Amino acid sequence: SQQGEEDPQALSIQEGENATMNCSYKTSINNLQWYRQNSGRGLVHLILIRSNEREKHSGRLRVTLDTSKKSSSLLITASRAADTASYFCATDPSGNTPLVFGKGTRLSVIA
Amino acid sequence: DAGVIQSPRHEVTEMGQEVTLRCKPISGHDYLFWYRQTMMRGLELLIYFNNNVPIDDSGMPEDRFSAKMPNASFSTLKIQPSEPRDSAVYFCASATDRNQPQHFGDGTRLSIL
């Protein structure tokens, strides 16, 4: 079953602009993770935010989590052409179940 | 660290044939996951193992699909007989725990003609 839903499905921006992707989920979670997938490759873990955290940074990435709204956002600042990829959120639902991945946002950064 | 290794990277075969996909997880990772990715359905969890034991295979679509993990460094996903609707990219991932970051292989692109 789909837990996380990313929005938008696709996003196209110019190099240097910021890119914001959102993830909404339905049930309570222990943590939420973001992954990147380049064309023809496997998913790569970017960042994990726990349910008791509100914001986390890693380089040009900023992730926020609002558990009251059951949503998270991933911000990529000063985007580069190399950031072109699909981005997935994955939630860790409370209980003994593995991560549940959304369908992803396809980001295109145009040089 | 070599990462998760999957083979083959590409497989093209005719329907009815047996297909075997292979995965070598990262050493020390106790969890191994098999996924299928399609445009229509996204990333679907097929089955996962903990310490070589299958924990949840509810995502396996049919009895034609089977998975084994004979030891901590090797797992297989088998489809017999294969059908055109099985065409997809199959990923293997490993992790230190059920809810920890997963490390993915680069997948096997399977085409059933």
Side-chain angles (χ1 to χ4, degrees), chain A residues 2 30-31 33 35 37 40-45 48 50 88 92-93 95-99 101-103 106, chain B residues 9 31 33 35 37 39-43 45 48 55-56 91 98-107 109:
Chain A
Q2 216 77 40
N30 296 311
N31 71 58
Q33 302 176 29
Y35 289 76
Q37 183 180 30
R41 305 298 298 272
L43 279 70
V44 174
H45 178 259
L48 180 154
R50 302 186 196 286
F88 296 83
D92 169 32
N96 201 26
T97 56
L99 296 180
F101 287 82
K103 286 194 173 182
R106 292 190 310 280
Chain B
R9 285 298 314 275
Y31 282 79
F33 307 84
Y35 293 91
Q37 186 178 41
M39 288 294 292
M40 289 296 294
R41 296 188 172 186
L43 196 66
L45 176 65
Y48 76 99
I55 302 302
D56 184 354
F91 288 102
R98 175 189 55 78
N99 60 355
Q100 291 303 299
Q102 294 182 13
H103 298 253
F104 283 73
D106 279 336
R109 182 171 295 275

Side-chain angles (χ1 to χ4, degrees), chain B residues 70-83:
Chain B
N71 57 63
S73 58
F74 184 65
S75 178
T76 60
L77 178 68
K78 189 172 293 187
I79 308 173
Q80 166 65 13
S82 58
E83 296 183 4

Side-chain angles (χ1 to χ4, degrees), chain A residues 37-93:
Chain A
Q37 183 180 30
N38 289 94
S39 180
R41 305 298 298 272
L43 279 70
V44 174
H45 178 259
L46 296 174
I47 199 164
L48 180 154
I49 186 165
R50 302 186 196 286
S51 60
N52 62 353
E53 296 175 314
R54 292 296 167 260
E55 188 169 312
K56 208 161 182 180
H57 297 255
S58 176
R60 293 184 296 111
L61 306 181
R62 173 179 168 246
V63 168
T64 61
L65 179 64
D66 187 335
T67 53
S68 66
K69 295 182 179 178
K70 292 186 169 59
S71 68
S72 173
S73 67
L74 170 66
L75 168 68
I76 304 174
T77 59
S79 63
R80 305 166 182 168
D83 295 328
T84 294
S86 291
Y87 292 82
F88 296 83
C89 70
T91 52
D92 169 32

